[in-house]
Amino acid sequence: MNYLEENSPDRNPKPADEVVEDRELKNLVGEWSPPAITSSLDQRILTSYRRQFLHRPAWLRWLTGSISLPAPVAAAAALLLCATSYLAARKATSYSLEPAPAPPTVKFVEVPFPVVQQKIVTRVVYKQIGTPKAKEGPAPSSLPPRIDLADFRPVSEIKIIVSHGGNDEK
Amino acid sequence: MTDERLLEQAASGDETAFAVIYERHRGLVFRFAYRLSQSREMAEEITHDCFLSLIKEPQRFKTQEQRASLRTYLCAAARNLAFKRLRRAGSETAIDDFSEQLATAESQEPLRLLLDAEISEAVRKAIGELPPLQREALILFEYEELSLAEIAEVSGADVGTVKSRLHRARQRLRILLAPYFKEGVGINVERCRL
């Protein structure tokens, strides 16, 4: 049982008695007056207040200070924070699935490179100047040989073959 | 300026705002604490702690701002502090002591009742003999003139319970202070002793 509650059998008072002012009782209880508040109490409370707020170091005030935000602003800020955190977490996960790129290695490969060398070709061109004279030495070997028709016999039948475009046609 | 605005300023270090709040409500808190605890020292301690806790944690009042005024909030804080101290001191009145105390009250000398100081002392004693929750309801209703709804807020009970406590407190006071009423008391004493 709660020590503050009284275990009285009269739990349900008469409705008419509850809010009706009991003038006689009121006058009687009014005879008891509390003492006046002393100035020392006022001073003590004000001193405690000053100690609490005015002499508190700035860093402590900053740490324990509070700001009041309108509820919609606070809700919007919380939503934004959640969304940003979610996106950041998702991005980090997708990155972690891909293999990390290998660090670039420097490899020296010797590639044969064709070097264009300058080649000097010397050509001797013989040019015939004027008509050669008979008495001027022997004829050049490039002249066609002479044809001898002594053994020539004509054919009895002539067959004419017309050749056109490389294909044989009769 | 409203209490809420003053409290905001006081909580951010405005001493003048704090002084205004204190000036407005110190009487109520001190009287209530004194009548509950019946000790000047305890009432001063309670008043001190009450205002300091208000400044240390103003957000506790702000969370209840929609349904409570600063007056009822301070009363509730004072009440909790008083009951905590009373519990620690073990000075709360138990129901078992009631019959004995009632007999003592009835046996007081009528001639001494004429003296105001004696009446005051008798009232103090009678109220002190009430169970704490009845005492609280009676003090807030009769002395501080809070409404039943406000008392319900302070004590964290519903209005019906407050009515019940007030009714029983009045009945008991009528019995305890019976010699001080001018006319006969229209209360069934035997019924109240149950």
Side-chain angles (χ1 to χ4, degrees), chain B residues 4-48:
Chain B
E4 289 75 20
R5 184 83 190 109
L6 283 169
L7 179 61
E8 223 167 74
Q9 291 178 354
S12 57
D14 186 344
E15 191 180 333
T16 314
F18 176 73
V20 173
I21 289 183
Y22 175 64
E23 191 67 31
R24 270 186 199 171
H25 299 286
R26 65 174 185 166
L28 166 74
V29 174
F30 178 77
R31 285 193 308 267
F32 178 48
Y34 175 77
R35 284 180 170 131
L36 262 187
S37 65
Q38 306 223 331
S39 155
R40 185 194 192 99
E41 288 74 29
M42 202 181 281
E44 288 190 348
E45 288 296 320
I46 290 166
T47 308
H48 176 270

Side-chain angles (χ1 to χ4, degrees), chain A residues 68-78:
Chain A
S68 56
L69 275 180
V73 176

Side-chain angles (χ1 to χ4, degrees), chain A residues 3 5-6 10-11 13 18-20 22 26 29 32 34-36 38 42 44 48-50 53, chain B residues 10 15 22 26 35 40 45 48 55 87 95 134 142-143 148 163-165 167-168 170 172 174:
Chain A
Y3 81 101
E5 287 281 6
E6 183 196 0
D10 188 14
R11 280 286 188 195
E18 296 145 10
V19 284
V20 170
D22 190 339
K26 197 177 181 71
V29 296
W32 176 40
T38 57
D42 295 346
R44 200 175 129 211
S48 296
Y49 173 81
R50 285 191 199 113
F53 286 94
Chain B
E15 191 180 333
Y22 175 64
R26 65 174 185 166
R35 284 180 170 131
R40 185 194 192 99
E45 288 296 320
H48 176 270
I55 294 303
R87 196 182 294 129
I95 184 61
Q134 289 182 21
E142 299 292 356
Y143 289 109
L148 291 174
K163 280 180 186 175
S164 170
R165 286 174 188 165
H167 176 79
R168 280 181 279 136
R170 279 173 162 184
R172 189 163 286 183
R174 280 262 175 197

Side-chain angles (χ1 to χ4, degrees), chain A residues 25-33, chain B residues 35 38 108 116-130 135 138 143 173 176-177 180-181:
Chain A
L25 183 68
K26 197 177 181 71
N27 288 339
L28 187 60
V29 296
E31 293 290 327
W32 176 40
S33 303
Chain B
R35 284 180 170 131
Q38 306 223 331
Q108 285 178 343
D116 285 349
E118 288 294 327
I119 295 174
S120 173
E121 178 62 15
V123 171
R124 186 192 68 77
K125 278 181 74 177
I127 290 175
E129 285 167 12
L130 293 173
R135 194 189 316 162
L138 184 104
Y143 289 109
L173 277 186
L176 292 169
L177 300 171
Y180 301 93
F181 287 107

